[in-house]
């Protein structure tokens, strides 16, 4: 039952998000698609997942152990710090630090976490900046 309550609440929030996303408008075009398609696509995907959750067969509830809950809290804190430091640190460095912290949460070795963080931070920046023409911050400290 809690899955269905969550799915309904999430669908309501997705509906509100779609209305807000549809109203996004830019006076000038700085990207090929503009600012509207990305939020609408992401929110539509979330609404689809909420619908799947709403109509799936209910499972027995098993609450996670204390260690898993602790990791979830650390993940939420990491994502909050990522959002807060995104403009100041810039996309490459902030994404590298987030990837390293998430990799360590999933028990990766330190060298693998650092390598994957550097690879994702740099490659995603160039993919978005050069291939997709999406403007991402490089960081206040580099400007």
């Amino acid at each position: 039952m809690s899955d269905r309550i969550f799915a309904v609440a999430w669908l309501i929030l997705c509906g509100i998000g779609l209305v807000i996303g549809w109203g996004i408008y830019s006076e000038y075009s700085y990207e090929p698609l503009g600012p509207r398609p990305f939020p609408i696509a992401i929110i539509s995907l979330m609404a689809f997942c909420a619908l799947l959750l709403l109509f799936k067969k209910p499972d027995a509830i098993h609450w996670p152990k204390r260690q898993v809950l602790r990791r979830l809290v650390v993940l939420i804190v990491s994502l909050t710090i990522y959002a807060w430091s995104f403009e100041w640190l810039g996309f490459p460095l902030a994404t590298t630090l987030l990837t390293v912290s998430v990799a360590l949460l999933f028990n990766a070795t330190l060298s693998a976490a650092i390598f994957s963080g550097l690879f994702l931070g740099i490659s995603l920046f160039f993919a978005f900046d050069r291939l997709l023409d999406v403007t991402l911050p490089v960081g206040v400290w580099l400007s």
Side-chain angles (χ1 to χ4, degrees):
M1 187 63 170
S2 61
D3 287 348
R4 288 189 169 86
I5 293 171
F6 174 77
V8 168
W10 197 251
L11 277 172
I12 292 169
L13 289 174
C14 285
I16 294 168
L18 283 172
V19 169
I20 293 171
W22 192 258
I24 294 175
Y25 177 74
S26 179
E27 293 293 325
Y28 56 93
S29 180
Y30 53 90
E31 294 173 358
L33 296 176
R36 185 184 297 171
F38 184 73
I40 289 177
I42 295 296
I43 293 171
S44 297
L45 181 63
M46 288 191 300
F48 176 71
C49 291
L51 282 172
L52 290 177
L53 186 62
L54 184 64
F55 294 115
K56 81 174 187 100
K57 179 182 164 193
D59 297 328
I61 297 175
H62 300 287
W63 287 97
K65 296 179 183 175
R66 183 177 297 263
Q67 181 183 9
V68 174
L69 289 174
R70 193 174 316 126
R71 286 183 178 188
L72 287 172
V73 168
V74 171
L75 181 63
I76 291 170
V77 169
S78 296
L79 288 170
T80 304
I81 291 171
Y82 176 73
W84 173 75
S85 66
F86 186 79
E87 284 188 45
W88 184 71
L89 291 177
F91 180 84
L93 183 58
T95 302
T96 298
L97 293 174
L98 177 70
T99 304
V100 168
S101 69
V102 170
L104 291 175
L105 280 175
F106 282 94
N107 296 325
T109 62
L110 184 60
S111 60
I114 291 172
F115 176 75
S116 63
L118 285 171
F119 178 76
L120 278 175
I122 294 168
S123 63
L124 285 176
F125 178 76
F126 282 108
F128 278 103
D129 192 56
R130 302 287 185 237
L131 299 176
L132 300 173
D133 286 332
V134 175
T135 306
L136 293 172
V138 291
V140 172
W141 62 279
L142 284 178
S143 298

